[in-house]
Amino acid sequence: MQILKKKNIQNFHFQVLSWSIYLWNSELIDYALKNYDFEYLQKSNVSNQKDSDIMVFVHRTFTWCNFSFLKIFLEPFFNKNADFIARNIHSIVEMSFADFTCLFTKEFIKNSNFNIDYRSNEDNKTLLQAAIFGNNDRAVEILISNPKLDINAPIFRSYPAIHYCCQTINLKIPKLLFNHPKINFNITNTKGIDALPLILIRGCFYHAQILMKYCPHTKVPLGVISYKCLRDNHLYSLKILLKHAKGKWNNFDPEKTKEEIRSFSSTKERDKFLKEFQQIL
């Protein structure tokens, strides 16, 4: 019973400080630090047993941009605990993407333990994936400017950045990627599909319009893309694709595309899809 009571008290103290950082409540932060057991934030060479707790404070600080807590408490802690930084450098860099100025990011990537090719065990994720998913174009720009980064390597499962960029709502990011001097527009996923059809069938028509300016063609048959756009109700994506195909593709053949749609469609959906295709065309 005493062990449980002690554990609950420790958890309460931890939550007080954590939420105080989130709320930018300096009075409550001071109260927590003075009255509860957070001496490890003042020490050097803190053991890795405290890493998870400290990383919560780091995450809250970056996510809510609590520069006051960073300056007064975390920066002195970082300066005294190089081993902590070394153990957690990639998680810290990823957390720093919450600040869209990337002031923290630029400092932490200078650390000698930072590896631009770092991958987490979860879905083969990289830091570039985190920056894209977090809609932080400044972080993306910093990462892809590193000459050691392979811009065409997978950043999430088997998907390279040129495929994964449809996950962001920040349209500066696909432009940054498409302008990279080493980007391979013809790179495919494990199923042999390149970027343009992947982006279109996800309904990301803004991204597709940007990509079409750099890479106007795809090896995937128009009928395949059209069918998947119709199936998933991404009709505006299909409209953009057909307009593009009419103007840029010498082998554009509407009748052949209809036959392909007919062959992929079930009996139930065939008439509906062909009617919608004709209306968009």
Side-chain angles (χ1 to χ4, degrees):
M1 191 67 180
Q2 287 299 319
I3 296 174
L4 182 60
K5 183 178 179 181
K6 182 179 179 181
K7 189 69 176 176
N8 285 337
I9 292 172
Q10 289 174 340
N11 185 56
F12 172 75
H13 295 172
F14 175 80
Q15 292 297 334
V16 168
L17 181 56
S18 176
W19 281 97
S20 299
I21 297 168
Y22 159 67
L23 294 169
W24 277 64
N25 191 323
S26 57
E27 291 182 4
L28 198 53
I29 289 172
D30 289 340
Y31 178 84
L33 292 172
K34 288 176 182 177
N35 292 276
Y36 304 145
D37 184 18
F38 292 109
E39 288 186 8
Y40 55 85
L41 289 175
Q42 313 294 332
K43 294 181 178 179
S44 303
N45 301 317
V46 173
S47 73
N48 59 8
Q49 293 178 344
K50 292 293 183 181
D51 280 12
S52 60
D53 286 358
I54 297 168
M55 288 301 290
V56 171
F57 301 146
V58 173
H59 181 261
R60 284 291 172 100
T61 301
F62 288 159
T63 301
W64 302 106
C65 299
N66 192 329
F67 302 111
S68 177
F69 188 81
L70 175 75
K71 196 74 177 175
I72 297 171
F73 300 105
L74 284 187
E75 281 190 357
F77 173 82
F78 290 155
N79 291 334
K80 291 185 290 187
N81 287 273
D83 288 345
F84 170 83
I85 299 292
R87 290 194 299 268
N88 299 283
I89 184 61
H90 299 104
S91 295
I92 293 171
V93 169
E94 182 175 345
M95 289 178 182
S96 75
F97 296 159
D99 166 39
F100 277 50
T101 68
C102 287
L103 293 175
F104 308 134
T105 303
K106 286 186 283 188
E107 289 303 311
F108 284 116
I109 63 174
K110 296 175 184 177
N111 188 281
S112 60
N113 293 283
F114 176 73
N115 177 9
I116 192 68
D117 295 319
Y118 169 80
R119 295 179 180 277
S120 70
N121 293 328
E122 181 187 358
D123 290 325
N124 201 31
K125 292 179 182 178
T126 67
L127 290 168
L128 181 55
Q129 179 273 337
I132 294 173
F133 192 72
N135 302 305
N136 190 331
D137 58 277
R138 183 68 184 120
V140 170
E141 187 175 13
I142 290 169
L143 294 173
I144 67 175
S145 65
N146 188 317
K148 294 181 179 179
L149 178 76
D150 182 355
I151 191 66
N152 299 305
I155 64 167
F156 175 75
R157 298 179 181 169
S158 65
Y159 296 101
I162 194 174
H163 295 173
Y164 190 80
C165 69
C166 60
Q167 295 289 339
T168 182
I169 59 174
N170 184 342
L171 296 181
K172 289 183 180 179
I173 290 176
K175 290 178 182 178
L176 285 169
L177 296 171
F178 301 158
N179 277 297
H180 193 282
K182 294 184 178 180
I183 197 75
N184 179 3
F185 289 104
N186 296 315
I187 194 169
T188 62
N189 66 2
T190 53
K191 296 181 180 179
I193 303 174
D194 55 334
L196 184 56
L198 283 171
I199 291 174
L200 283 164
I201 62 180
R202 287 190 62 87
C204 303
F205 49 84
Y206 283 122
H207 304 68
Q209 285 175 303
I210 297 170
L211 179 58
M212 286 171 180
K213 295 177 182 178
Y214 296 86
C215 182
H217 298 284
T218 175
K219 293 180 181 179
V220 178
L222 180 59
V224 175
I225 309 173
S226 299
Y227 165 72
K228 291 187 176 181
C229 286
L230 290 163
R231 181 196 63 189
D232 297 335
N233 206 34
H234 295 312
L235 302 185
Y236 197 73
S237 290
L238 179 56
K239 181 178 180 179
I240 288 170
L241 173 62
L242 293 178
K243 181 179 178 181
H244 174 75
K246 287 177 186 177
K248 298 291 183 180
W249 295 1
N250 295 328
N251 60 346
F252 176 63
D253 185 346
E255 294 306 315
K256 180 181 178 182
T257 302
K258 288 179 186 178
E259 285 302 315
E260 290 172 334
I261 294 172
R262 186 177 287 107
S263 67
F264 292 125
S265 305
S266 67
T267 305
K268 184 178 179 180
E269 60 191 8
R270 186 175 299 141
D271 289 343
K272 176 177 179 291
F273 287 173
L274 289 172
K275 181 180 179 181
E276 289 177 337
F277 179 84
Q278 187 60 44
Q279 287 173 338
I280 294 169
L281 187 63

